[in-house]
Amino acid sequence: KNEVEQSPQNLTAQEGEFITINCSYSVGISALHWLQQHPGGGIVSLFMLSSGKKKHGRLIATINIQEKHSSLHITASHPRDSAVYICAVIGWGGGADGLTFGKGTHLIIQP
Amino acid sequence: DTEVTQTPKHLVMGMTNKKSLKCEQHMGHRAMYWYKQKAKKPPELMFVYSYEKLSINESVPSRFSPECPNSSLLNLHLHALQPEDSALYLCASSQAGPGNYGYTFGSGTRLTVV
């Protein structure tokens, strides 16, 4: 079974700061998701990665398959970025195996 | 249509009630999932349907009964629930085969058992 570890668990930062959230996993995967969940809300998939780097607006996600590690970066952070960010992986069986989740990083951006 | 739609958004039910949660997607995804999420915890997988067949059942109590009437619909029938079953129930869908396929989540049903 894949073990997915995220760090930090909690992060409070000031508006405008550069944010990095890390994720590591123990077993090879076919893809990794970064997910965002606002309090009491549903889950939105921000990125799906199997290699390299992706960028969307102020968000950047990278993955190193050899090191079994991924990072999510937020540039010029804003209070609306406050949410729980969850790393989740898909095994080699593909989507029908379901996702294995990290415990999430609770991010608060203060004005 | 790139959404997974869940109804109802909120549900309060007594321990003797029978209710159903519904999930619908029209993206042609052939895998659909039910997850349960307690406060401040990551989601836990309950059921996976692949090509309308139940492929994963993570030892969920029989008071939860999934149903996949067709490739677009997924139901979760609830009966004789306990207060500890109160949680956010999330539906998701994806392509079913091996490979790098995206996941789409619904916004969830917030269930309270009284």
Side-chain angles (χ1 to χ4, degrees):
Chain A
K1 184 180 173 182
N2 219 331
E3 301 291 331
V4 180
E5 299 286 338
Q6 274 186 247
S7 63
Q9 283 188 279
N10 296 284
L11 178 57
T12 300
Q14 295 298 121
E15 183 174 356
E17 286 189 38
F18 182 81
I19 303 298
T20 295
I21 300 171
N22 295 300
C23 175
S24 60
Y25 50 91
S26 58
V27 177
I29 59 170
S30 62
L32 179 145
H33 280 264
W34 281 104
L35 308 169
Q36 180 192 56
Q37 187 172 32
H38 283 100
I43 291 176
V44 174
S45 178
L46 299 173
F47 295 104
M48 185 185 68
L49 295 161
S50 55
S51 64
K53 177 179 175 178
K54 287 189 177 179
K55 184 175 190 290
H56 181 70
R58 294 180 295 106
L59 302 178
I60 303 166
T62 63
I63 189 167
N64 185 318
I65 295 295
Q66 286 72 32
E67 294 186 5
K68 298 186 177 64
H69 181 269
S70 176
S71 293
L72 176 69
H73 306 285
I74 305 174
T75 62
S77 58
H78 190 275
R80 64 175 173 266
D81 297 325
S82 299
V84 177
Y85 293 84
I86 305 171
C87 169
V89 301
I90 302 174
W92 289 109
D97 283 353
L99 291 169
T100 301
F101 296 87
K103 291 185 178 179
T105 295
H106 187 194
L107 175 65
I108 298 173
I109 303 297
Q110 294 178 333
Chain B
D1 188 351
T2 58
E3 289 187 348
V4 172
T5 302
Q6 287 189 245
T7 55
K9 293 199 184 306
H10 300 275
L11 178 62
V12 179
M13 61 185 289
M15 289 189 283
T16 58
N17 290 159
K18 283 186 182 181
K19 297 286 184 183
S20 296
L21 309 184
K22 296 186 184 302
C23 175
E24 188 170 3
Q25 58 88 15
H26 297 287
M27 294 175 282
H29 288 171
R30 301 308 298 271
M32 296 185 76
Y33 314 82
W34 281 115
Y35 289 90
K36 174 183 177 181
Q37 187 180 27
K38 300 284 278 185
K40 299 189 187 301
K41 299 285 188 186
E44 298 171 17
L45 183 64
M46 299 175 74
F47 302 106
V48 180
Y49 273 85
S50 181
Y51 294 93
E52 295 98 70
K53 286 185 171 31
L54 185 63
S55 65
I56 293 178
N57 174 350
E58 293 282 312
S59 301
V60 177
S62 59
R63 56 186 184 268
F64 295 92
S65 173
E67 179 197 19
C68 190
N70 61 55
S71 60
S72 299
L73 293 174
L74 183 66
N75 299 319
L76 185 63
H77 302 297
L78 314 173
H79 173 55
L81 295 193
Q82 303 296 309
E84 61 264 28
D85 297 320
S86 299
L88 181 67
Y89 288 84
L90 292 159
C91 175
S93 70
S94 75
Q95 293 291 358
N100 306 327
Y101 295 116
Y103 255 71
T104 304
F105 283 87
S107 57
T109 294
R110 176 73 59 188
L111 174 67
T112 304
V113 181
V114 296

